[in-house]
Every structure is written in structure tokens, then in C-alpha cells.
């Protein structure tokens, strides 16, 4: 389904050892696995034939490498606001390990000690959305799961905590856009592998 309005293509980075094991990977620069690199290369075919007025990437190595392997590295603009959620004290720890010491914890509701809360990530997402809406044409964005989930929630006008309702696989493509006019933001496609 094509649209007469600008679209925002969201790409989650390829697999890393930490994404594979479920460790929270915020600001740590963990490289892509061999499978992650292969999936990133396949993104080139999946995005072939599309024209983008801008390509934006998170500053993380995993997002930049995914962008480069997909064939969009040279023109990509690094945007600090696209960085993954800052997990603070929970960086590198799995949800199971966190729950052992803090039963009932939920990232989107409770945030991270010495890190960010959903509202903090939502503020960054709002800044990105402001830039997206000022940039004419279709834009390609490379980032990480939890940030992109919050971005989708904010795109729809939902609270950042509602990002918990969207799941993203590694090397997935999602598309934000509009329905009848530029006042009706929608999710056009989600988590396509």
C-alpha cells in the first residue's frame, strides 16, 4: 500500500550478542554478530527501489553498521536523540536478572535507576518527530528497539509508556506515515522481517 504522504522507515539494528541473550543494550557499543551482519546486508534488497530524502542513524555502532551494510552509510546523518534508552544501572543485565532483585519491574513503567525513564525517552522521541515533520520526503531511520517503540507511540500521540505495546525484532522494518492528511499520523507497517 503506497501513500501520497511522506513515510518514515524505521529499521532496528541487526542482531548482537546482547540482543540475542536479552541483555539490555543502551549505550554500550556491542558489535553485530555474523547473523546480524548478514541480516543487515539483506536490508539492501528489502529497501531496493525506494528513494529517501534523508537517512538518519543512532550514534551506536550497531545502528551505524546496520545502516552501512544496508548500503546507506555514506549519506547517513548521526542523530544523538536516536540513541537507545539509557538503562543506567541495568545496562548489560537481562530482565530476568532485574526481576530477581526487583520483582514486578517493568521498563516502560518503572524506568532505570541512574538511567532514563519513559518520559525522558519520550522527550527525545518528540524532538526526533519534530525534525521528521520538518523534513520533506521519505526518511530512513536506523536505531534500537526500545527507542523506536517509544517513537512509534509518540508518533501516534500516545504516552511514551505505550511503546511497551509494540515489539520489534532485529533487522525489522516498520513504516510510519499518515492516513487522510498530515494531521492523521498512523503506523502503515510494523515489524516486517
Amino acid at each position: 500500500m503506497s501513500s501520497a504522504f511522506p513515510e518514515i522507515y524505521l529499521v532496528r539494528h541487526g542482531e548482537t550478542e546482547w540482543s540475542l541473550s536479552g541483555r539490555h543494550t543502551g549505550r554500550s557499543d556491542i558489535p553485530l554478530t555474523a547473523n546480524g551482519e548478514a541480516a543487515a546486508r539483506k536490508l539492501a534488497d528489502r529497501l531496493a527501489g525506494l528513494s529517501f530524502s534523508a537517512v538518519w542513524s543512532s550514534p551506536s555502532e550497531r545502528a551505524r553498521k546496520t545502516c552501512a551494510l544496508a548500503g546507506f552509510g555514506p549519506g547517513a546523518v548521526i542523530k544523538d536523540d536516536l540513541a537507545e534508552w539509557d538503562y543506567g544501572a541495568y545496562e548489560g543485565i537481562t530482565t530476568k536478572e532485574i526481576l530477581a532483585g526487583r520483582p514486578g519491574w517493568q521498563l516502560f513503567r518503572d524506568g532505570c535507576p541512574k538511567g532514563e525513564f519513559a518520559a525522558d525517552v519520550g522527550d527525545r522521541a518528540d524532538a526526533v518527530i519534530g525534525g521528521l515533520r520538518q523534513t520533506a520526503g521519505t526518511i530512513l531511520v536506523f536505531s534500537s528497539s526500545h527507542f523506536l517503540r517509544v517513537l512509534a507511540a509518540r508518533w501516534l500521540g500516545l504516552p511514551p509508556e505505550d511503546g511497551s505495546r509494540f515489539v520489534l525484532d532485529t533487522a525489522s522494518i516498520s513504516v510510519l506515515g499518515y492516513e487522510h492528511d498530515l494531521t492523521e499520523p498512523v503506523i502503515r507497517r510494523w515489524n516486517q522481517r
Side-chain angles (χ1 to χ4, degrees):
M1 178 189 290
S2 63
S3 173
F5 302 109
E7 294 182 319
I8 313 304
Y9 279 71
L10 307 178
V11 178
R12 181 181 176 197
H13 63 77
E15 175 190 275
T16 69
E17 287 295 333
W18 282 19
S19 67
L20 187 59
S21 65
R23 294 171 71 179
H24 286 86
T25 317
R27 304 303 164 90
S28 297
D29 259 335
I30 307 301
L32 300 177
T33 62
N35 287 339
E37 289 184 3
R41 284 186 196 93
K42 289 179 184 174
L43 286 166
D45 292 335
R46 294 170 58 205
L47 295 168
L50 298 171
S51 178
F52 299 102
S53 60
V55 178
W56 295 356
S57 177
S58 159
S60 73
E61 175 187 343
R62 59 195 180 275
R64 289 183 291 115
K65 181 81 173 212
T66 299
C67 177
L69 291 172
F72 297 95
V77 175
I78 305 304
K79 300 275 188 178
D80 290 341
D81 281 338
L82 290 171
E84 178 60 303
W85 197 307
D86 182 349
Y87 299 118
Y90 294 158
E91 182 77 7
I93 301 174
T94 67
T95 297
K96 182 178 178 180
E97 292 168 327
I98 295 166
L99 290 171
R102 190 173 171 189
W105 174 81
Q106 293 178 11
L107 173 65
F108 287 87
R109 182 190 66 208
D110 303 321
C112 300
K114 299 182 182 174
E116 289 183 305
F117 291 83
D120 302 317
V121 182
D123 288 344
R124 290 193 290 112
D126 288 347
V128 169
I129 290 169
L132 292 170
R133 291 194 170 136
Q134 291 177 5
T135 304
T138 298
I139 302 170
L140 179 60
V141 174
F142 291 84
S143 188
S144 298
S145 178
H146 287 138
F147 177 80
L148 290 174
R149 292 166 66 178
V150 171
L151 181 70
R154 296 303 300 138
W155 180 261
L156 297 174
L158 301 171
E161 294 82 3
D162 281 356
S164 67
R165 301 177 189 279
F166 303 99
V167 174
L168 279 177
D169 295 319
T170 55
S172 62
I173 299 172
S174 301
V175 183
L176 307 178
Y178 301 91
E179 190 168 10
H180 299 107
D181 60 44
L182 297 178
T183 68
E184 294 185 34
V186 296
I187 294 177
R188 299 193 63 82
R189 291 180 286 289
W190 191 256
N191 199 37
Q192 295 188 319
R193 298 256 327 169

